[in-house]
Amino acid sequence: MILSYEEQSPSMDPEAWVAEDATVCGDVAIGAGSRIMHGARLVAEAGGSIRIGRNCIVFENAVIRATSRHDCSIGDHSIVGPNSHVVGAQIDAEVFVATGAAVFHGAQIGHGSEVRINGTVHLRTRLEPGSTVPIGWVAVGDPAQILSPDQHEAIWAMQRTLDFPGFVYGVDRSAPDMMKTITSHLSDALGRHRSGC
């Protein structure tokens, strides 16, 4: 499905292809030779944009999102694997984001890097060109430290300073009713889809 959202419509090079059961919504541009496979979702919320370069492959059931605060771009000749999730990140050319990987708001992934199966690149994290996040590991910080998932306390010590609720939603973590504030704002923003995508 190719859908407009608040007067923003996707644009696709004539040499790109989007599967009929994929969703491309809002300010999304897809470059020549790129392929958006079955069940993939590319959704740019109001004010956000997604840019997919040339000869990129977005595999089945991958989700790529942009928000009003965080645009998203995927550089030429990159792969976004099945069931992976990329939101508000800048990914350079020739990057491999493997099956089940997650890349969060404000992350920057350098040219030729790999985020292997179930790897995570946390918000505001910068991977140098040619970096590898091993299977199931977590990259966090700028520059990134790459840690095994059994190092939760070390990951959290760095992650806490990155301020997920403040950076992503503009809400202070210590505010009373933080989750009520976040979900109320999200409900209002996402409610716009009732008339669009």
Side-chain angles (χ1 to χ4, degrees), residues 169-184:
Y169 300 113
V171 176
D172 186 329
R173 181 184 295 280
S174 64
D177 297 328
M178 176 189 72
M179 288 304 295
K180 287 182 181 178
T181 302
I182 289 171
T183 57
S184 294

Side-chain angles (χ1 to χ4, degrees), residues 1-127:
M1 289 186 291
I2 308 300
L3 302 165
S4 296
Y5 180 63
E6 293 200 341
E7 301 179 12
Q8 294 291 325
S9 296
S11 64
M12 290 170 289
D13 186 277
E15 295 180 14
W17 179 78
V18 175
E20 287 184 21
D21 61 345
T23 300
V24 179
C25 175
D27 185 6
V28 179
I30 301 172
S34 289
R35 307 294 184 240
I36 311 303
M37 302 306 294
H38 300 280
R41 307 289 183 235
L42 283 65
V43 179
E45 301 294 337
S49 67
I50 297 172
R51 299 293 176 257
I52 306 293
R54 297 176 57 86
N55 296 313
C56 291
I57 309 301
V58 178
F59 275 109
E60 290 81 5
N61 303 313
V63 174
I64 300 174
R65 293 186 57 243
T67 69
S68 61
R69 295 171 61 120
H70 302 100
D71 292 334
C72 191
S73 65
I74 311 291
D76 296 346
H77 305 284
S78 290
I79 291 176
V80 178
N83 301 307
S84 57
H85 178 218
V86 177
V87 58
Q90 308 303 308
I91 296 176
D92 287 348
E94 301 177 43
V95 168
F96 177 56
V97 177
T99 300
V103 181
F104 288 97
H105 308 76
Q108 299 174 353
I109 299 181
H111 181 276
S113 294
E114 294 184 24
V115 182
R116 295 188 175 156
I117 295 170
N118 295 326
T120 299
V121 180
H122 221 290
L123 77 152
R124 302 169 75 180
T125 294
R126 182 175 51 85
L127 286 177

